[in-house]
Amino acid sequence: MSVSDRFFSLVPDRQCGSCMVCCEYLYINSPSLKKPADVLCGNCVSNQGCRIYDTRPSVCRSWHCLWRRDATIPAELRPDKSGVLFSLSVCDEPRYLFENAYIVCMALKTPAAFDAPLVAATLARYIGEAMLPVWLSHAGGKTLAWPDDKLANAILSPVAAQSDQLADEGKIWLERYEAMLEPLQAKNARFHHHHSPN
Ligand code: SF4
Ligand code: SF4
């Protein structure tokens, strides 16, 4: 299945329940709602959920973490229970090549959460699938977990690659990545539209 087919539907029977991790940890900058990262949204009432749920902004209706979108993430990894938030990010104007479209795993409290067996296995699987860049994020910073340094450098600067083989690998990587971006961006826009009744 191509990347652009993979993450754009919701897993049946998976609900947010009492999780409100995205209402706290995400930076939201939409016309109808702005909030900094790591601050619980003012509309969030503890143990009750969103006090404007029925009229919540479209950004809240449309955004879903990967736990809601990718059935291969184990059910146990609901963000409020696992302490990690997996998301797919697709940017229109990224600052850095590997931020065009990527998977990011954010540790909410402690980076030790990355080492929990199910989290580590999920990260290893995304890296092993070699589809999208994988970032680890914690406390406002993020590091690239895949491609690794050697390959990332070869992709960004083929002439400085340590070997011809690595330069070729980087070139193939970049062609494959660039080819998937447009379909991903289109799918991303449609997905958000589809999930935004407002
Ligand atoms: S982080 Fe995921 S599971 Fe939790 S409330 Fe947000 S979308 Fe739902
Ligand atoms: S408006 Fe509601 S759903 Fe949206 S971030 Fe705030 S608490 Fe969450």
Side-chain angles (χ1 to χ4, degrees):
M1 191 191 281
S2 79
V3 177
S4 55
D5 289 334
R6 168 122 179 237
F7 298 126
F8 294 99
S9 58
L10 296 178
V11 180
D13 306 328
R14 245 182 217 187
Q15 302 295 335
C16 299
S18 54
C19 180
M20 295 205 90
V21 161
C22 53
C23 303
E24 176 167 357
Y25 289 90
L26 293 190
Y27 163 68
I28 301 179
N29 183 15
S30 80
S32 48
L33 182 68
K34 296 191 195 305
K35 77 165 218 47
D38 301 329
V39 174
L40 191 60
C41 172
N43 294 319
C44 195
V45 182
S46 69
N47 298 325
Q48 287 178 38
C50 177
R51 80 183 156 79
I52 56 160
Y53 190 81
D54 290 338
T55 55
R56 70 199 187 285
S58 60
V59 60
C60 306
R61 291 169 191 274
S62 63
W63 197 87
H64 294 92
C65 69
L66 275 182
W67 181 81
R68 294 285 316 266
R69 298 163 65 165
D70 183 0
T72 64
I73 295 188
E76 295 90 327
L77 294 193
R78 197 174 85 178
D80 59 327
K81 295 178 180 157
S82 63
V84 294
L85 172 62
F86 280 93
S87 346
L88 171 70
S89 187
V90 180
C91 303
D92 291 332
E93 291 176 12
R95 288 165 302 173
Y96 185 52
L97 175 72
F98 303 115
E99 290 179 326
N100 273 282
Y102 58 95
I103 287 166
V104 55
C105 178
M106 179 194 278
L108 306 178
K109 305 279 188 220
T110 160
F114 294 133
D115 299 326
L118 281 180
V119 176
T122 301
L123 281 166
R125 188 171 47 72
Y126 281 137
I127 291 171
E129 285 169 356
M131 289 180 309
L132 289 168
V134 177
W135 291 84
L136 301 182
S137 145
H138 177 61
K142 69 185 194 309
T143 52
L144 191 59
W146 186 80
D148 62 18
D149 284 349
K150 262 203 235 162
L151 180 57
N153 289 335
I155 294 163
L156 294 171
S157 162
V159 286
Q162 287 177 3
S163 67
D164 288 350
Q165 193 194 341
L166 206 53
D168 286 345
E169 219 181 293
K171 212 174 124 202
I172 292 165
W173 193 100
L174 186 60
E175 281 168 6
R176 189 192 56 88
Y177 188 51
E178 285 179 340
M180 76 169 75
L181 287 178
E182 211 175 298
L184 254 180
Q185 282 161 349
K187 202 97 184 198
N188 195 53
R190 277 204 301 277
F191 180 75
H192 285 306
H193 179 72
H194 181 70
H195 287 272
S196 307
N198 280 355

